[in-house]
Structures are given as C-alpha cells and as structure tokens.
Amino acid sequence: MNKKATLQYGDTSYEMPIVEGSYAERGVDIRNLRKDTGLITLDSGFMNTGATKSEITFINGEEGVLMYRGYPIEELAEHSTFLETAYLLIYGDLPTKTELASFANSITYHSMLHEDMRHFFDGYPSLAHPMAILSSMVCSLSAYYPDSLEPDVHNHEHIARLVSKLRTIAAFSFQKKQGRPVAYPRNELNFCANFLHMMFSHPAEPTYEPDPELVRALDVLLILHADHEQNCSTSTVRLVGSSQASLYGAISAGICALWGPLHGGANQAVIGMLGEIQDEGGDCSAFMRQVKDRQRRLMGFGHRVYKDFDPRATILKTHADRLLKYLAIEDPLFDIAQQLEEVALSDPFFIERNLYPNVDFYSGILYRAMGIPTEMFTVMFALGRIPGWIAHWKEMMEDPEVRIGRPRQIYTGATKRNYVPLSDRP
Ligand code: ACO
C-alpha cells in the first residue's frame, strides 16, 4: 500500500507520510503541513488527532480491546496486583520478584506525609470536595521536594512518592471529613490493604483488619483504572509536563481534568443518577424516555473510544455481582443499574449511538459496597490512574522528538479596529 497520503488544495498537491502502529492503525503525519503549505488542521475535541506515538496502552474501541504494554486487561485483572500493574505501566515490563519487592518497598517507604502537610487538612472547610484537596495537596508536594522543579525521569523517588502519598492523602482527606484523626500507614500491609486501613481505622475500635475480598476487589478496580491512553486527564498531564513543569504540578493538573463529570467525575454522577431514579419511584423506562428527549443524560454510558463495549465494565459487573453476594448486600441501585443496562441494550436510540456502559457505570456500585462514600469515587479513580499518568509523563520526557504542547487555532474574532476612549463610546 502507498505509505503516503495526498492533500489536494487548489492547484497544489501535497504528500504526507503515513505512520503505522503495532496493529496497523494508521495516521497521517502532518508535522510539516503548516511550514510547507500554510494550512493547519482543525479538530475540535481531538476526535481525529493523534498527539503522540505511545508504547503504553493499546485500545481497539470497535472490538472492546484494552491492553497495557501488550497484556490484555482481562488477564491483568485476573492475575496481577495493582502494584505489579503499576510497575508494568511505568517501566514497560512485568517485574521480576526482586524488582517487584524493591518497588513495593519504595512505595511503602514513602507512605508518610510530612507532618506539616498533615496540618494542611485542618485548613480545608469540612464541605471541601476531596478532589479539591487531592489536587492541591499533590501540587504542594513540589514545595516539599524542590528538586522536582527540575524534572528528572530517572528520579524514581518522585515516582514512588507520588504513588504512595496520593494514597495517604486520599485516605487522610476522608478521615478528616469524618471528623476523625488520620490513621497512619501500617507498613506490614500491602498497597490496597494499607489504603483500606487508613480509610476505615477508628481510634476507638479494635485494630482494623482489611477483608481479603475487599482488598482483591480494590486491586481489580485500581488495575482497571490504571491507564487509558490519551484521555482528557492524561493529555493534560502530558501537556503540562511538556512545559518542563514539575511532575507533581503536572499530575495535579491531571487530577483537576479527571474531576469533571464527563470524565472521572462520572462515577459519582452515576450514583447520583441512580439515586434520583430510586427517589422518583424507580421507573427506569420513564427515565430513559427523558434521556431520549435529551432532558437527561445517561451517566456511565457512552465513550469516545469504545463503540462496542467497554471491557472494563464487563469485568466490573461480574465483580460487583460477586462482592454484593459475598457481603450479603442488597443494593437497590445495583438493580436499577441492571435495568437501565437492559433497556439501553435493546433500544435503537442507544444501539444506533453505540451507547454501552463504561467503566464508571459499575465502579460506583463496588465502591459503595466497600463503604467508600460517593464523594470519594473520583479520588479512587485518581488513585488507580496515577501509574498511567506517570508512565505517560515519563514516556513524553524521554521522547527526543517531544516539544512543548501548543495547539494552533483558526481566529474568528474581530479584525483590526482602533481603540475608542471610554468617553467617546456610545
Ligand atoms: N446519554 C445520552 N446520550 C448520549 C450519551 C449519554 N451518556 N452519550 C452520548 N450520547 C449521545 C449524544 O447526545 C449524541 O447524540 P446525537 O448524535 O443524537 O446528538 C451521540 O450520543 C454522540 O455523543 P457525543 O457527546 O458526541 O460523544 P462524545 O464522544 O463526544 O462523548 C462522552 C463521550 C463524554 C463519554 C459521552 O458519552 C457522555 O457524556 N457520557 C456520560 C458521561 C460519562 O459516563 N463519562 C465517563 C466516560 S468514561 C471515562 O472518562 C472514564
């Protein structure tokens, strides 16, 4: 096949190289387009624009395929742990026993927050959203580790620190919200068990022993959220990082991007929506009619990339079912969720628009079953996504071709006009 694409513009014919990926997905390389022709491309929402080549995550949205570094998400969810998957994403291969032990040790070693930072939590109002706290606390880490202001991808301490401290910050913000003292990390616990301990330990109760079933469910949730190539928050991390800002600053920006309800905030919005349907009498068909009339949006459905099914949602549905049975919880919101899914999968409106449950549709049910409050759901997403953000930041920083991210625009505002003094304006 011809490895060039031709652009015909007026009398000019311009050839551009085709770039091919591992699965023969193709892109037109337009890097020299403006220099050679004066034209730029306009692609609102980046529906067709590849921002980078990447070796981290492969998605085939048409066939519901998701792989981290070549490993199918289904296999990782079944056999791996979050820390092992984090290592895989950040460093490119599954770790040896020694590598994993050393990675886990460095994460454990960095789990404490500087005591001064612990006092920051006292300054936030009790109604503060935990994502506001998380993003500002992560950015504040750059004040405590000033060498991060000169970003260095070989400084593994910053990487371990981020993964570890993000977990501590998330749990501390929850405990503070409950009006309880924070629970310091326990180094003998594994990553997820330690998080559950920091979240749910109560000073007046016996020592909290994390339930292995909850630990496993959390591991799976975090693995499934660990990366998703060039989504809104990851692109934000890359864009901010491309200015050579500190890693903490870039990740903090990614956390803010994740917060929105059209991205990571959807998991919180799903539970809000299911609760509304329950309060209105549980009539799923009536709700779906309103969605079709565009009065409401079916949160947790639809995806920019997946046009058949989201493989993460399939895995999570099974785990939600299993965990609810294990904990003997009957959650009416889970029943409503299943009914909505049934209606959507048989209704032409949703079929024609390729609207299927996404990862956020069932994650909230699992978090609820684990006792994690709705407001914390997006924080949980951030905790899972941290290795992906770091992996992309590292890949970008190591790419010799990378330049500061700076899109162009087509200006459609007023043409030149002269300044009118205030006294002369009508
Ligand atoms: N409910 C109802 N209709 C929808 C939904 C939805 N959740 N999602 C898309 N549609 C409709 C749109 O109205 C549009 O219909 P039209 O062509 O008749 O105008 C069509 O489907 C295409 O939708 P777009 O908004 O163009 O799709 P886009 O790719 O821009 O948006 C998005 C994707 C933001 C995820 C969207 O599906 C959405 O808002 N979903 C709900 C929020 C959500 O769950 N977000 C989480 C995404 S996963 C993640 O970030 C981890």
Side-chain angles (χ1 to χ4, degrees):
M1 175 189 280
N2 185 7
K3 298 279 182 185
K4 290 201 187 297
T6 308
L7 175 73
Q8 193 69 42
Y9 176 61
D11 297 336
T12 320
S13 170
Y14 179 65
E15 282 202 330
M16 295 158 292
I18 297 288
V19 186
E20 206 167 274
S22 305
Y23 281 91
E25 67 277 24
R26 292 186 196 97
V28 184
D29 182 343
I30 57 156
R31 265 176 290 189
N32 293 322
L33 182 66
R34 184 171 178 279
K35 182 162 67 73
D36 294 347
T37 67
L39 293 171
I40 64 161
T41 55
L42 183 62
D43 185 18
S44 166
F46 308 116
M47 304 282 284
N48 305 286
T49 297
T52 184
K53 292 184 214 160
S54 179
E55 297 179 357
I56 300 169
T57 287
F58 175 72
I59 301 176
N60 178 334
E62 280 68 36
E63 291 174 21
V65 174
L66 169 62
M67 293 191 276
Y68 298 159
R69 302 281 188 185
Y71 295 98
I73 193 67
E74 292 80 4
E75 290 184 26
L76 292 170
E78 194 174 342
H79 304 296
S80 187
T81 61
F82 176 61
L83 269 200
E84 186 185 59
T85 300
Y87 184 100
L88 169 71
L89 282 165
I90 297 170
Y91 297 109
D93 285 305
L94 284 171
T96 62
K97 265 189 189 164
T98 320
E99 286 165 340
L100 184 57
S102 149
F103 185 59
N105 278 344
S106 61
I107 302 276
T108 303
Y109 178 76
H110 287 292
S111 59
M112 296 283 286
L113 291 188
H114 192 292
E115 274 298 288
D116 289 353
M117 277 193 84
R118 191 173 61 79
H119 296 302
F120 287 5
F121 289 97
D122 300 333
Y124 289 102
S126 58
L127 290 179
H129 195 286
M131 283 297 274
I133 300 179
L134 187 70
S135 62
S136 44
M137 293 291 279
V138 166
C139 199
S140 300
L141 288 171
S142 55
Y144 286 84
Y145 306 100
D147 61 323
S148 67
L149 299 182
E150 280 177 32
D152 172 10
V153 280
H154 303 297
N155 188 331
H156 301 292
E157 281 218 305
H158 287 306
I159 293 176
R161 204 173 267 141
L162 249 175
V163 176
S164 194
K165 292 195 195 307
L166 199 135
R167 172 188 58 171
T168 310
I169 295 168
F172 279 18
S173 66
F174 172 68
Q175 289 278 24
K176 290 303 277 188
K177 196 153 186 129
Q178 302 303 301
R180 293 200 295 252
V182 300
Y184 286 109
R186 273 168 53 195
N187 284 358
E188 82 278 12
L189 296 175
N190 70 30
F191 187 88
C192 289
N194 209 351
F195 175 71
L196 292 174
H197 145 71
M198 285 192 272
M199 284 281 287
F200 298 119
S201 282
H202 191 294
E205 299 285 339
T207 308
Y208 177 85
E209 290 307 335
D211 182 332
E213 285 291 327
L214 296 192
V215 172
R216 184 63 201 143
L218 182 57
D219 243 331
V220 171
L221 275 157
L222 298 185
I223 290 170
L224 296 182
H225 285 86
D227 192 43
H228 215 235
E229 48 117 305
Q230 313 304 322
N231 55 79
C232 177
S233 55
T234 303
S235 299
T236 302
V237 170
R238 278 187 177 258
L239 195 61
V240 175
S242 77
S243 75
Q244 305 288 311
S246 95
L247 172 61
Y248 301 114
I251 299 289
S252 167
I255 291 170
C256 290
L258 184 75
W259 192 359
L262 296 190
H263 190 11
N267 54 14
Q268 179 176 341
V270 168
I271 295 297
M273 173 191 76
L274 297 175
E276 280 169 28
I277 298 174
Q278 187 189 27
D279 293 345
E280 290 161 12
D283 186 346
C284 292
S285 306
F287 176 82
M288 291 303 240
R289 277 196 297 279
Q290 291 175 333
V291 171
K292 291 199 288 186
D293 289 345
R294 294 169 202 279
Q295 293 165 27
R296 291 168 104 165
R297 184 153 275 245
L298 183 54
M299 300 310 289
F301 265 66
H303 199 276
R304 174 61 61 80
V305 178
Y306 294 117
K307 296 303 170 201
D308 191 0
F309 66 97
D310 179 340
R312 303 167 300 172
T314 312
I315 298 170
L316 279 188
K317 187 179 175 187
T318 316
H319 279 273
D321 208 10
R322 193 184 55 80
L323 195 69
L324 291 182
K325 280 199 188 105
Y326 170 75
L327 296 171
I329 295 176
E330 282 185 19
D331 187 346
L333 298 197
F334 185 59
D335 298 335
I336 293 176
Q338 286 189 306
Q339 284 175 47
L340 286 180
E341 185 179 347
E342 270 167 38
V343 176
L345 295 184
S346 57
D347 187 312
F349 177 92
F350 298 95
I351 296 169
E352 279 159 20
R353 289 170 179 75
N354 300 311
L355 297 176
Y356 301 90
N358 59 47
V359 66
D360 287 326
F361 195 59
Y362 285 108
S363 63
I365 302 280
L366 272 153
Y367 288 134
R368 259 165 75 89
M370 296 167 81
I372 293 171
T374 312
E375 248 196 4
M376 283 290 290
F377 289 0
T378 316
V379 172
M380 300 305 297
F381 195 148
L383 182 59
R385 186 52 58 87
I386 188 73
W389 286 333
I390 295 173
H392 282 273
W393 171 82
K394 189 166 171 291
E395 185 178 68
M396 186 231 8
M397 296 293 286
E398 286 170 339
D399 180 354
E401 287 185 7
V402 87
R403 304 173 70 178
I404 185 168
R406 204 298 187 188
R408 292 271 174 180
Q409 65 164 16
I410 301 287
Y411 175 70
T412 56
T415 50
K416 183 172 180 286
R417 45 188 173 164
N418 292 114
Y419 180 80
V420 181
L422 188 55
S423 54
D424 296 349
R425 284 177 225 158

